[in-house]
Every structure is written in C-alpha cells, then in structure tokens.
C-alpha cells in the first residue's frame, strides 16, 4: 500500500515560503496516493522554470530537459512504456511560450499523458517579465507602460483540438485541485489542466484578488458539450472560471496503432537496478 511518506524527498524546496507551488506539490502527492500510484510507476517530465523544479522534490522517475521541450519527451516516454503514468509539470511561459509549438502538436496527437501548467502569468524564475498569459495593461519588468497584447487562450485552443480532458484549477482550492488532478491522471489520452498559481513575489495582484475573482464553473455545465465549453473558455476574465470544461473519449491515442502493429505492449521493459548498482553509479558523482 502506498503512503504519502513514499513521496517525501530530502531535496530542499527552493520556492518562496508561501508560494502556491507548495500547495500544488502537496496536492499532487495526495492525489497519487489516493489513486494508489507508487513512485516507480510514475515518470515526471519538465523543462525550465519554477514549476519545472517540482520533479526534483518527488522520488519518482523524472526527466528534466530543455526550456519548453517537455511535451515531446513525455510523448515518447508514454509511447515507449505505456505502463508508466507520465505527468508533465511546467509553467505557462515554458509551455505556452517556448513550448507553444509543442503544446499545439501534442493536442493534435493526443498521447496518453497528463499536463499540469502552473499559470502565474509571469516569468518568475527570471524576475518578473510578462508571459503569454499576462493580462493587457498589467505592468511587468520589461513592460513599464503595461502589456499591450491579449493573453493566449490556451483552454480555447485545447477545446478546439478536442483534447481528451481540459480543465482549470486554483492552487489555493486544494480540494478541487486534487479532484481535478485525479480525474486528469485517470483519463486516457491527453489531459490538460491549467492551474492558477499566483506569484507572491512578482505579481502586483495580492492573493485576496485571486480568492475574490477565481470562481468554479456552474455545476450544471456538461463537459461533453464542446460548444458550451468553448463559450466558457472565451469569456473575458475576471472572473476566472475553474472546473472541468471539456472531456471526450472518442479520439485515438497516439502510439496505440503502432504498438498494435508491432504486436507488443511496450517498446522497452523497465529495468530496476540493485541497490549495489545504484550506489556504484552515485559514487561517480561524489
């Protein structure tokens, strides 16, 4: 039986004290425990940024790569070893900016991976530049007169491409966040969750602004209704709606046809080295 202590790591967390990223990390651990997932069954993939540090703080398989390049790596891992639960954890700058092209084509392919985007509308690691989701008019370090371009509507793009699961959550509503995380991880196909994660250092808006303006979708919303989901995604913000906007099971999963044609269930088999072999490898880095 898996326990929350199985996901403890001795690596010091480098986020600011009080950063909502802490809530996302804790909630992800709880969601995985509730789903009965063991650390060796999970592969976390990330690029560059504050959100991309999350895999460092969990004792799972993980790949930390280049800026914006997490999704193609995750897609390859999911196809090569379908038995792994593959989760991408990234920021909105990494995913929608540097990785915007990969985001679009991952939506088009529909691999069996889960994407959690920590969205704080800011490049926090590099001290406060505007990101693809910064609201117009807001001042950032390189936009002293305010941002002039409209923000990217990532949810609208995902719904138009009929992603398997499209949702938005709020890092400070942990009950809703855990529920959405669990549903996203269990969904087969490309599951995408945009997580509102206010930056307490660089964002001019206080946490209370988000508590006031982030609101759950009406409980009557049917996620199978593509037209209504798109209408909700296109509404001007605030308020910033959270919940499951859209989900579908009618798309083929990328890689399934290839594995079936090859007559195999995976392209690689997991190899678990002995403790002796692991210590031998680690000795090289002392």
């Amino acid at each position: 039986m898996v326990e929350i202590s199985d996901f403890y790591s001795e690596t010091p967390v480098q986020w600011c004290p009080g950063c909502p990223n802490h809530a996302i990390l804790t909630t992800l651990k709880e969601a995985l425990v509730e789903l009965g997932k063991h650390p060796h069954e999970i592969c976390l993939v990330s690029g560059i940024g504050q959100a991309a540090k999350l895999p460092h703080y969990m004792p799972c398989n993980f790949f930390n790569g280049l800026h914006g390049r997490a999704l193609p790596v995750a897609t390859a891992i999911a196809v090569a070893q379908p038995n792994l639960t593959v989760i991408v954890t990234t920021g909105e700058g990494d995913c929608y900016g540097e990785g915007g092209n990969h985001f679009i084509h991952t939506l088009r392919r529909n691999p069996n991976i889960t994407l959690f985007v920590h969205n704080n509308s800011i490049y926090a690691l590099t001290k406060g530049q505007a990101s693809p989701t910064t609201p117009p008019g807001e001042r950032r370090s390189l936009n002293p007169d305010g941002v002039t371009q409209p923000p990217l509507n990532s949810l609208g793009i995902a719904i138009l491409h009929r992603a398997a699961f499209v949702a938005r959550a709020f890092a400070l509503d942990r009950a809703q966040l855990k529920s959405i995380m669990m549903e996203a991880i269990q969904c087969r196909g490309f599951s995408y969750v945009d997580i509102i994660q206010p930056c307490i250092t660089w964002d001019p808006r206080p946490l209370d602004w988000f508590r006031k303006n982030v609101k759950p979708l009406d409980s009557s919303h049917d996620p199978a209704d593509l037209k209504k989901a798109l209408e909700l995604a296109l509404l001007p913000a605030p308020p910033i709606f959270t919940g499951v906007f859209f989900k579908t099971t009618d798309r083929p999963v990328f890689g399934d046809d290839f594995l079936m044609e090859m007559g195999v269930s995976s392209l690689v088999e997991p190899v678990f080295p002995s403790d002796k072999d692991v210590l031998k490898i680690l000795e090289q880095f002392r």
Side-chain angles (χ1 to χ4, degrees), residues 2-4 7 25-39 41-44 54 58 60 85-87 116 178 181-182 185-186:
V2 64
E3 299 179 354
I4 196 74
F7 288 98
L25 174 63
T26 301
T27 307
L28 177 58
K29 292 177 179 178
E30 292 174 352
L32 292 170
V33 169
E34 202 153 325
L35 290 171
K37 297 285 185 182
H38 293 262
E41 298 174 307
I42 299 158
C43 186
L44 300 171
L54 185 144
M58 292 179 65
C60 305
T85 296
V86 182
I87 299 172
F116 294 136
K178 185 170 76 170
M181 279 182 161
M182 291 174 64
I185 293 169
Q186 289 178 297

Side-chain angles (χ1 to χ4, degrees), residues 115-268:
L115 169 64
F116 294 136
V117 181
H118 305 209
N119 184 356
N120 56 18
S121 303
I122 213 161
Y123 280 94
L125 189 65
T126 48
K127 301 186 178 180
Q129 295 87 358
S131 82
T133 61
T134 304
E138 289 211 358
R139 296 181 178 181
R140 294 292 189 263
S141 59
L142 296 181
N143 304 82
D145 295 327
V147 173
T148 56
Q149 294 83 15
L152 185 78
N153 194 320
S154 55
L155 265 70
I157 294 171
I159 293 166
L160 278 173
H161 282 79
R162 300 174 62 81
F165 184 89
V166 182
R168 180 186 283 135
F170 181 33
L172 300 184
D173 184 351
R174 291 190 52 220
Q176 183 206 45
L177 177 60
K178 185 170 76 170
S179 172
I180 288 177
M181 279 182 161
M182 291 174 64
E183 191 172 359
I185 293 169
Q186 289 178 297
C187 178
R188 183 158 166 73
F190 185 39
S191 299
Y192 160 55
V193 183
D194 183 76
I195 304 172
I196 302 301
Q197 176 252 313
C199 178
I200 59 173
T201 300
W202 301 106
D203 196 318
R205 296 166 294 183
L207 292 180
D208 281 346
W209 183 95
F210 288 92
R211 291 189 177 100
K212 179 181 178 183
N213 289 288
V214 176
K215 299 181 182 301
L217 289 172
D218 191 285
S219 58
S220 64
H221 173 58
D222 177 8
D225 188 338
L226 185 145
K227 183 179 178 183
K228 184 61 179 177
L230 189 58
E231 288 177 0
L232 291 168
L234 294 177
L235 289 175
I240 304 171
F241 286 111
T242 60
V244 180
F245 282 68
F246 178 72
K247 55 183 179 181
T248 180
T249 57
D250 64 358
R251 291 189 59 200
V253 173
F254 183 78
D256 279 1
D257 287 349
F258 176 74
L259 293 172
M260 187 177 297
E261 186 177 330
M262 296 288 288
V264 296
S265 60
S266 67
L267 299 183
V268 294

Side-chain angles (χ1 to χ4, degrees), residues 50-91:
Q50 294 289 7
K53 294 177 182 176
L54 185 144
H56 304 175
Y57 311 137
M58 292 179 65
C60 305
N61 306 295
F62 82 88
F63 185 99
N64 194 187
L66 300 175
H67 211 347
R69 307 296 180 249
L71 284 170
V73 174
T75 299
I77 293 171
V79 172
Q81 181 44 266
N83 294 324
L84 280 174
T85 296
V86 182
I87 299 172
V88 175
T89 173
T90 179

